[in-house]
Amino acid sequence: MLFSLRLLPIVAMSVSAVVIPSPPGQYDVFYNTAKMIEKTRVDPFDPKNGSRAVMTSIFAPTHCKVDLEKINYLPPQQPNTTPTYIAQWDFPTGRSTCPEPPKGRHLQFPVVVFSPALGTTRLFYNAIAQAVASAGYIVVSIDHPYDAEFLEFPDGSIVTAANITDAQVPLDVNTRARDVSFVLDQLSTKAGVAALLPRTGAAGLKTRRVAMYGHSVGGAAAAEAMRLDCRVVAGANLDGSMFGPVVQQGVRGPFLLFGHENKTQTTDPSWAEFWSNLRGWKLELELAQAQHYAFSDLSYLMKLLGVPVQNVPAMQKMVGNLDVAKAFEIVHRTVTAFLGFGLRQASSAPLEEVISQYPEVSVFAEGK
Ligand SMILES: *[C@@H]1O[C@H](CO)[C@@H](O)[C@H](O)[C@H]1NC(C)=O
Ligand SMILES: *[C@@H]1O[C@H](CO)[C@@H](O)[C@H](O)[C@H]1NC(C)=O
Ligand SMILES: *[C@@H]1O[C@H](CO)[C@@H](O)[C@H](O)[C@H]1NC(C)=O
């Protein structure tokens, strides 16, 4: 039931200097990363009972006044510690970002949190996050240590996966949700914002009403974060089963469930129960021809690398048969339109308009 990138096939590729196209929205995007340490919380997965520490990335919309900079899709890794699934790939290098952090009114954009799949680095969702940010959202993605297969902090220290068991997943989901609350606390302070947005002098971002989307266990964490933290007012779960008390308790705000082909509340009992307990606007979508990792950047990266997914059967099993560029576009446009509804507009009509443009997307259930 749970997927992990440990299953990712080893694909040797030697395509170089593949450039990632500029994001589709009207804004340029500033990118930065920071470690955030919660001194008062013991990490439940750390055998040494250390303080919980997470890695974050920010994608902040801005109108860039200087030349855009091309940065690597993934940061350079230390050769001896690079997991094989990263080492074997020659990832695209040119991701266009603005080297200057946003100022003034651009610091007022709504905040959106992203949480990745179990075992999967947040970095494999950079292109989707950047596309969402370019539409006018400050996206902050989080890597959860001991869950991510491999997490490197800025000082070079590394935390590898604790190999979370099925029985530990509810604790993992709860821990992720608490990570979200901590990151929101940080983003509401001058020092916390300065870590991600240096030189802006911002007193804090607008964290009183935020939204969250997540892939797989990250989507379950979006629901759990809504349950535990009233600042999270809307949530989207991309293809993740639900875990923990939120299945019975539900949430009140708008919630989107978006599954791959045949992952619906008919096939996933956790979705059926969660759905019946949702007390606000709700929508369940199904993406035809897609598999679990169609909701990450992987299929898009294959496209940019010029490798037909059909030529790599193990990869095809992970992302499905949907046209890979289409999958990327559908996911970021649907998420962006949902966020617009959850944070900005009273009407879900723009979201419905986006969905109607893609025959691959079907409405499995809707309710209010
Ligand atoms: C961590 O905390 C647990 C529970 O309190 C305790 O049993 C264990 O000995 C602690 N481990 C270390 C290394 O301090
Ligand atoms: C997790 O699994 C990997 C791969 O099987 C292994 O190398 C690693 O030691 C395991 N980690 C722990 C904490 O058990
Ligand atoms: C979805 O279910 C239908 C009907 O059972 C089946 O024909 C189809 O192959 C399934 N699709 C996938 C991707 O498993």
Side-chain angles (χ1 to χ4, degrees), residues 22 77 112 116 185 367:
S22 294
Q77 308 282 331
V112 171
D185 291 346

Side-chain angles (χ1 to χ4, degrees), residues 260-262 289-291:
H260 71 266
E261 181 167 317
N262 293 352
Q289 307 258 307
Q291 288 296 336

Side-chain angles (χ1 to χ4, degrees), residues 6 45 47 146 149 160-164:
R6 281 172 213 123
F45 296 106
Y146 299 99
E149 174 166 21
T160 52
N163 302 330
I164 287 166

